[in-house]
Each structure stands twice: as structure tokens, then as C-alpha cells.
Amino acid sequence: MRSELGIHPLLGERYSPRAFADRGIPDEGLERLMEAARWAPSSRNEQPWRFLVTRRGGEGHPELLSTLDASNRRWAHKAPVLVLCLVQRLFSRLGVENLHARHDLGLAVAQLTTQATSMGLGLHQLGGFDPQGARAVFGIPEDYDLVSVLAIGFPGEADDLPEDLRDRETHHSARKPLTEIVWHGRYRG
């Protein structure tokens, strides 16, 4: 546990692995991850998130992998599951822009991440990908924003990573102190 304030252990155990074991995720496990995301709260209960799930060796996986930045492809190719995260930009009933769609996707991914951690899985969120390339490859309409890619799998060994990534795998990122990210009563930027 990296926090000293008694947060739930699953939150403290979470990290973003780059090393993945050569082990797949069973269908029922992947379905539980998606179910955890499904139950996230959203503005007006819109549930604007969508997930395009690909498995290594299966349909769509090479195409999604090809949209990742080269620095991410170096290690993400070993993840058994890659997931493209999208949001529907407009409220379906109102036809106006949903300014909270990305926030709601973040909540869904947070729940998916906590579920993954509870199952012994690692999950790494990637912003380093080509959204327009992914849109073209998968034929995704313009009314969806392509936000991120998730690499999911059982954590592997740091020694299996390229040498320059090994240290990053074993030394987890620090967090800013609460005094830098929380203000009480007024803005203190």
C-alpha cells in the first residue's frame, strides 16, 4: 500500500504495468470488467462510453496495435487485450453536446480498473495512439470521440521489458501531496 491514509487496498495496489505475462484473460473475466464499467454513474444516465475490445491473435487486435505510438507498441503488443475507449459526443435524447461525456468515461474506466485490480489483472491507460487512424481502421462515425486505449493482462516480469523500461516497471510513480491538488474554501492556485 503506497498511501498512508487508509484508502481501500485495491486503490493503493493499482499501477500501470508495461510487462504482461503470456496468459490470456478468460471470457468471463473480460465480461466482468465490462460489467464493472457498465455500472458507472453518468450525467443524465446517458452512459456515453463505448469499448471496442480486441484480443491478441483475434479480430481487430493488429489494427488497434498499429495505431499505438511506437513507444507504446514496444511493450503493449504483449498485452492479451487492447481496448479502444470511445464516447458518444451528443446526448442521445437531447441532441446537444454532452460536456460530461469524457468525465463519465473516466468513471467507467476507473471502475473497470478497480475490478481488474481485484482480479489480479494489470491495466495501463494509453493516450499515445492515433485516434484518426483508429477511426479509419474501424469505420467509427464522427459522432464518437476516440479517447484512449487500455492494455489489460496479468502482470509479467520487468526483465521481459526493453532495458530502458525495466526501472519504470519496478518503481511506481509518486503522487503529488494533497496540499497541491486540494483547495478548501477558495482557489489557491
Side-chain angles (χ1 to χ4, degrees):
M1 173 65 89
R2 295 177 287 166
S3 173
E4 298 171 1
L5 295 179
I7 63 173
H8 195 283
L10 288 175
L11 301 174
E13 291 170 17
R14 186 219 58 84
Y15 72 103
S16 300
R18 288 179 181 83
F20 290 98
D22 189 19
R23 177 179 170 198
I25 301 172
D27 290 345
E28 60 275 5
L30 193 52
E31 189 171 13
R32 280 196 305 174
L33 296 179
M34 296 300 118
E35 182 70 0
R38 183 171 82 100
W39 285 98
S42 63
S43 177
R44 297 181 181 260
N45 195 29
E46 184 69 17
Q47 303 168 47
W49 51 78
R50 302 293 184 271
F51 300 105
L52 192 156
V53 179
T54 70
R55 290 179 176 273
R56 188 176 57 222
E59 181 180 13
H61 192 272
E63 292 84 356
L64 185 52
L65 184 64
S66 75
T67 70
L68 300 185
D69 292 352
S71 61
N72 288 328
R73 275 195 312 270
R74 293 175 61 210
W75 56 267
H77 68 280
K78 290 195 174 183
V81 173
L82 294 176
V83 179
L84 178 62
C85 302
L86 311 87
V87 291
Q88 188 172 4
R89 191 175 307 113
L90 301 178
F91 281 110
S92 59
R93 292 181 295 271
L94 304 174
V96 298
E97 187 175 4
N98 180 352
L99 298 177
H100 308 289
R102 287 176 181 245
H103 172 271
D104 295 346
L105 171 64
L107 288 168
V109 170
Q111 288 192 191
L112 192 159
T113 300
T114 303
Q115 181 66 40
T117 303
S118 78
M119 296 165 57
L121 294 166
L123 183 148
H124 194 119
Q125 297 184 58
L126 305 169
F129 78 109
D130 175 11
Q132 291 308 321
R135 183 182 307 283
V137 163
F138 294 108
I140 298 170
E142 289 292 331
D143 54 336
Y144 287 93
D145 288 337
L146 285 62
V147 179
S148 60
V149 174
L150 308 176
I152 308 172
F154 289 96
E157 298 297 326
D159 288 343
D160 293 338
L161 289 169
E163 187 174 340
D164 61 316
L165 296 177
R166 290 179 193 152
D167 189 53
R168 292 173 71 181
E169 189 72 5
T170 56
H171 295 92
H172 303 294
S173 303
R175 291 292 180 250
K176 294 178 181 179
L178 288 177
T179 56
E180 285 187 34
I181 62 170
V182 178
W183 304 311
H184 294 276
R186 66 184 171 95
Y187 174 75
R188 300 182 196 283

